[in-house]
Amino acid sequence: MPWLAIPFSDSDTRDHLDELFRVSGIPHLVIIGENGKVLTDSGVEIIREYGVEGFPFTPERIKELKEQEEVAKREQSLRSILVSDSRDFVISANGMKVPISKLEGRLVGLYFSLSSYKLCVDFTSKLVDVYAKVKAMGESFEIVLISFDDDEESFNEGFGSMPWFALPFKDESCRKLARYFELSTVPTLVMIGPDGKTLHSNVVEAIEEYGIQAYPFTPAKFAELEEIEKAKQEAQTLESILVSGNRDYLIGKHGVKVPVSDLVGKNILLYFSAHWCPPCRAFLPKLTEAYHKIKAKDSGFEVIFISSDRDQTSFDDFFSEMPWLALPFGDERKESLSKMFKVQGIPKAVAIGPTGRTITTQARDLVADHGADAYPFTDERLQEIEAQYEMAKGWPDKLSHGLHEEHELVLTQHQIYTCDGCDEEGHVWAFSCEECGFDLHPKCALEDGKGTEDDAMDEEKPEEGWICDGKVCFKA
């Protein structure tokens, strides 16, 4: 560091500054003006966003920069995006400088990427294929790589496999463009129309799903794809998603083959999971409990385990803990199902109704929140559950309770908790102490508590059947 420091031995001063500026995490940068007053405690964010341009870091300067960005977006052109004070060209893989003027009037994709990141590597190969097909059609389409590589060797190696242009290695515009387009992830492919205006903020997902069919990435094209997707969903059956060639079965215990046709007309959960995934292992007992409760009411209900385990042994060990069916380990259908339901993280559960159509892709959250009560995972069932939240309108906002006389308890929307009154699991609502972490079920609190609001005694108590019993939970 080329600046000054508080001596390491001066822990008193460090502790005092931590307390004075309420430092709860690092890095934390407080900027103090010439008059000794704090200009901002958001110095980290300002430096990351604006760098030296943020100097002298006053509110006025930051406001000025934001206004400049707004003007730039209103008056955006390809030149305003890509040209800098020191450069008016992009480069090709062989090092040639190509004037940005050559790209004007074309559809241009700005490809934000990191060559060492596997998701970028995988997407680049797909993008190369789409790019080649579009160019073969004679279309005026170009791509410019905006690289975040830290070393030039990685940049050259990654860019060398790409048939398009790039900003030079560590060009000052790379970070500015990331901020300008509010980049949140890589890979990202921003489409700039022939008029220089932003056509779409990120078409990566569209290319992943539709390939060249997504070209030319216009609103009209996406509307067309949406209609195709709707028609596909309307025509979906259980067999259309689970049968592939002669693979028309699932497996039960001891490898018993169960024909997919046996499950037609039933409610199904497709459960994407893996033994190596801690959240998957944590969720399994919750799903198992819900499964048994649902099966007791509807024997036709079934769950199908779709594994992302790394080897057969791990699959076998994990599947042995499950009371339902599974896709065989390494089955080719797993990839098509993951793509169809856009599985980007596990555990994930997709609910399929008796007609074979998708009810929801968020069944994991519904089971976690509501347990077996969420079944059959339809909008109508969720509305019934949400109606239970209306009961809280009759409860006091605050109350005092004999089990916790030190502080008032406040009505709070809560995730899963353990009631400090009856020691049972609670969900959705709790009367909680904001200072001590003390929680009571509404029933426990209202039976023995005394509301502090004037009208608390006149309010209704929750209905007897509504007790938080582990079946209902809202995930914030």
Side-chain angles (χ1 to χ4, degrees):
M1 301 176 186
W3 45 70
L4 307 179
I6 301 295
F8 180 74
S9 59
D10 191 357
S11 59
D12 289 343
T13 298
R14 294 204 311 273
D15 290 344
H16 168 67
L17 291 173
D18 281 349
E19 183 178 351
L20 179 64
F21 296 113
R22 299 177 182 176
V23 179
S24 59
I26 53 176
H28 189 84
L29 178 60
V30 180
I31 300 176
I32 299 179
E34 296 174 352
N35 61 358
K37 304 294 185 182
V38 174
L39 289 175
T40 180
D41 61 358
S42 300
V44 171
E45 291 79 8
I46 291 174
I47 294 296
R48 281 175 175 163
E49 285 196 25
Y50 300 107
V52 69
E53 289 185 13
F55 185 81
F57 313 114
T58 60
E60 292 77 18
R61 176 56 179 162
I62 303 307
K63 181 181 179 182
E64 179 186 354
L65 290 172
K66 290 185 181 297
E67 288 175 348
Q68 288 176 2
E69 288 183 347
E70 290 302 316
V71 171
K73 288 180 179 180
R74 287 197 300 270
E75 301 176 357
Q76 177 180 302
S77 67
L78 194 64
R79 290 189 62 81
S80 72
I81 296 172
L82 294 179
V83 172
S84 68
D85 293 337
S86 60
R87 176 191 47 74
D88 63 354
F89 59 86
V90 292
I91 60 172
S92 62
N94 61 11
M96 288 184 58
K97 296 180 179 179
V98 178
I100 289 172
S101 58
K102 294 286 187 182
L103 306 183
E104 292 183 295
R106 301 187 180 193
L107 179 65
V108 176
L110 304 182
Y111 182 35
F112 295 86
S113 182
L114 179 64
S115 64
S116 61
Y117 188 37
K118 186 178 185 303
L119 290 179
C120 292
V121 174
D122 292 344
F123 179 71
T124 294
S125 63
K126 296 174 184 176
L127 185 57
V128 167
D129 180 63
V130 169
Y131 178 82
K133 289 177 179 177
V134 173
K135 296 293 282 186
M137 293 161 54
E139 297 289 320
S140 296
F141 176 51
E142 292 298 344
I143 295 176
V144 177
L145 171 67
I146 316 293
S147 173
F148 293 127
D149 288 316
D150 288 325
D151 64 274
E152 195 162 9
E153 182 178 351
S154 296
F155 170 80
N156 290 333
E157 183 178 347
F159 184 38
S161 66
M162 301 175 184
W164 45 71
F165 304 115
L167 292 187
F169 172 67
K170 282 206 167 181
D171 189 273
E172 62 182 14
S173 293
C174 292
R175 296 293 172 184
K176 290 182 180 179
L177 289 171
R179 183 179 72 250
Y180 181 83
F181 289 107
E182 300 178 359
L183 197 71
S184 61
T185 186
V186 290
T188 288
L189 184 61
V190 178
M191 298 308 306
I192 307 298
D195 60 355
K197 306 300 182 184
T198 302
L199 194 60
H200 200 286
S201 60
N202 190 8
V203 298
V204 166
E205 186 175 319
I207 289 177
E208 291 270 16
E209 188 164 352
Y210 300 106
I212 194 172
Q213 281 186 289
Y215 183 83
F217 315 109
T218 59
K221 171 55 72 172
F222 284 115
E224 177 186 329
L225 292 174
E226 187 176 342
E227 289 302 314
I228 293 174
E229 190 63 29
K230 284 181 181 178
K232 190 188 300 183
Q233 291 174 3
E234 288 295 320
Q236 178 179 298
T237 65
L238 191 66
E239 289 167 311
S240 74
I241 61 176
L242 286 181
V243 174
S244 176
N246 62 355
R247 294 184 175 270
D248 59 355
Y249 62 89
L250 306 162
I251 59 172
K253 295 305 176 184
H254 310 297
V256 174
K257 292 184 178 180
V258 178
V260 172
S261 57
D262 286 358
L263 302 179
V264 172
K266 299 180 179 181
N267 283 297
I268 306 294
L269 271 190
L270 304 180
Y271 176 45
F272 298 84
S273 185
H275 184 269
W276 54 259
C277 167
C280 295
R281 296 198 301 273
F283 178 64
L284 181 58
K286 183 76 173 179
L287 180 58
T288 302
E289 177 187 7
Y291 175 80
H292 287 306
K293 289 181 178 180
I294 295 170
K295 287 286 279 188
K297 297 184 294 183
D298 180 0
S299 61
F301 172 68
E302 198 52 78
V303 174
I304 300 171
F305 171 43
I306 301 170
S307 172
S308 292
D309 284 305
R310 299 187 176 107
D311 54 67
Q312 183 74 51
T313 300
S314 297
F315 169 85
D316 292 340
D317 288 346
F318 204 30
F319 185 42
S320 68
E321 302 176 35
M322 303 175 185
W324 43 70
L325 307 178
L327 212 61
F329 176 73
D331 195 293
E332 62 188 22
R333 289 172 287 177
K334 184 256 181 184
E335 291 304 318
S336 63
L337 288 167
S338 296
K339 181 178 179 181
M340 179 183 303
F341 296 111
K342 301 177 182 178
V343 179
Q344 298 178 336
I346 53 176
K348 185 181 181 76
V350 177
I352 306 297
T355 65
R357 297 178 189 171
T358 303
I359 295 175
T360 177
T361 60
Q362 305 302 316
R364 179 262 175 119
D365 291 339
L366 297 179
V367 171
D369 293 348
H370 310 298
D373 260 10
Y375 186 76
F377 314 110
T378 58
D379 289 340
E380 292 76 15
R381 178 58 191 144
L382 292 182
Q383 288 170 9
E384 292 173 1
I385 293 173
E386 288 170 5
Q388 298 178 58
Y389 286 82
E390 294 297 311
M391 296 180 185
K393 291 183 178 179
W395 299 339
D397 293 330
K398 300 178 182 179
L399 56 77
S400 299
H401 198 280
L403 291 179
H404 193 73
E405 297 178 347
E406 299 93 330
H407 307 104
E408 284 186 321
L409 302 181
V410 180
L411 181 62
T412 309
Q413 255 194 342
H414 217 300
Q415 295 189 28
I416 298 173
Y417 64 94
T418 299
C419 175
D420 291 298
C422 64
D423 205 35
E424 296 291 333
E425 190 174 274
H427 310 267
V428 185
W429 295 108
F431 280 93
S432 303
C433 176
E434 297 175 340
E435 299 183 43
C436 304
F438 182 91
D439 300 305
L440 284 181
H441 286 150
K443 185 183 181 210
C444 294
L446 293 169
E447 279 185 346
D448 217 17
K450 182 179 180 181
T452 60
E453 301 293 330
D454 292 339
D455 59 350
M457 297 301 293
D458 296 327
E459 302 291 0
E460 294 181 1
K461 293 183 179 181
E463 293 181 9
E464 187 65 23
W466 187 85
I467 303 171
C468 298
D469 60 358
K471 296 182 179 180
V472 179
C473 170
F474 179 79
K475 186 177 181 179

